Amino acid sequence: MNKNDKSCVVLCSGRGSNIPSILDAIDSKKIRVKIECLISNNPTSRSLKLAEENKIRAEILPAGKERDLKLITLIKEINPDFIVLAGYIKKIPAELTQLYKNKILNIHPSLLPKYGGKGMYGLNVHKAVIESGDKISGATVHLVNEVYDDGEIIIQETVAIEENDTPESLSSKVFELEKKLFPKAIEIFINTILK
Ligand code: GRF
């Protein structure tokens, strides 16, 4: 790790599908970042396998009330410069949003503030977008505060919705966008907000 690199912890619940594009950006030095640890609340998350393959420390959170306590303890121990939510579906405890004010990033598969909030994740988002009749959707990377999907927007880009799009096809289009958007957002965040 270069002394100018910023350290981060990545939180995942599911596939960890944004991790490869972040790792590519790190490898090609587009972003000067070291992932210190990947934390998942889900013991069967595919992200844990990605961590193992890439020799990244991985931690699993317990279920129930202990989850947030363990998360807070781990973050305090690792003390990263920032935190990345890459498909983490649990709410971040207020103690962490305060300790890491303007230092937690989340990616969301819609044009926030539209289609955000509790329950709006995965295909639920794309179903709601298609049902609304909107002609564009997109992805957003934003800072995390106490309210779901509410913090300051760092970057947002759009995709066109075609007549024959389904929630599944829209999800694929948005994901293609996310692969470019997340590394770009991390770069902007490091150079402007984290400085
Ligand atoms: C991302 O695509 C993002 O839109 C949302 O969760 C997705 C990642 O989840 N926050 P997964 O890693 O594919 O399970």
Side-chain angles (χ1 to χ4, degrees):
M1 183 179 173
N2 184 293
K3 70 173 173 45
N4 294 323
D5 288 1
K6 300 295 181 191
S7 60
C8 84
V9 163
V10 178
L11 269 60
C12 289
S13 299
R15 296 167 296 186
S17 42
N18 287 110
I19 292 175
S21 58
I22 295 174
L23 288 174
D24 283 350
I26 293 174
D27 285 347
S28 62
K29 299 194 169 38
K30 279 202 191 92
I31 52 174
R32 310 297 310 221
V33 169
K34 163 114 194 283
I35 301 178
E36 293 289 353
C37 185
L38 182 139
I39 302 176
S40 180
N41 64 305
N42 171 8
T44 64
S45 170
R46 230 181 66 75
S47 65
L48 294 166
K49 197 160 184 308
L50 283 172
E52 192 189 337
E53 285 165 6
N54 289 283
K55 300 187 173 48
I56 296 167
R57 173 182 169 190
E59 296 284 346
I60 300 170
L61 302 176
K65 278 194 293 194
E66 298 299 307
R67 183 189 65 235
D68 286 353
L69 289 177
K70 174 90 186 277
L71 176 61
I72 293 166
T73 306
L74 277 169
I75 295 292
K76 284 184 174 167
E77 177 227 309
I78 300 166
N79 191 27
D81 292 315
F82 68 105
I83 299 170
V84 168
L85 309 187
Y88 185 70
I89 61 171
K90 300 291 181 188
K91 196 147 195 265
I92 299 298
E95 185 174 341
L96 277 186
T97 52
Q98 278 153 27
L99 194 61
Y100 275 78
K101 191 169 173 17
N102 296 333
K103 291 180 180 174
I104 307 178
L105 301 182
N106 181 44
I107 186 155
H108 186 81
S110 77
L111 294 173
L112 289 176
K114 292 181 99 174
Y115 312 106
K118 200 167 175 2
M120 278 294 178
Y121 60 85
L123 280 180
N124 296 350
V125 176
H126 305 298
K127 274 184 194 139
V129 173
I130 299 264
E131 276 165 19
S132 74
D134 283 0
K135 295 287 171 251
I136 56 164
S137 189
T140 305
V141 180
H142 66 95
L143 296 172
V144 174
N145 62 18
E146 291 70 34
V147 182
Y148 266 122
D149 301 324
D150 175 71
E152 185 190 329
I153 291 172
I154 296 174
I155 193 169
Q156 194 165 56
E157 282 183 23
T158 60
V159 292
I161 303 172
E162 310 297 337
E163 285 283 299
N164 58 352
D165 265 324
T166 60
E168 289 77 11
S169 67
L170 181 57
S171 165
S172 306
K173 280 187 191 174
V174 171
F175 177 61
E176 285 307 307
L177 186 62
E178 287 187 5
K179 287 199 278 189
K180 287 179 275 168
L181 207 62
F182 217 172
K184 202 159 142 188
I186 293 172
E187 187 183 1
I188 294 170
F189 165 76
I190 289 173
N191 292 334
T192 57
I193 300 168
L194 197 60
K195 268 178 101 174

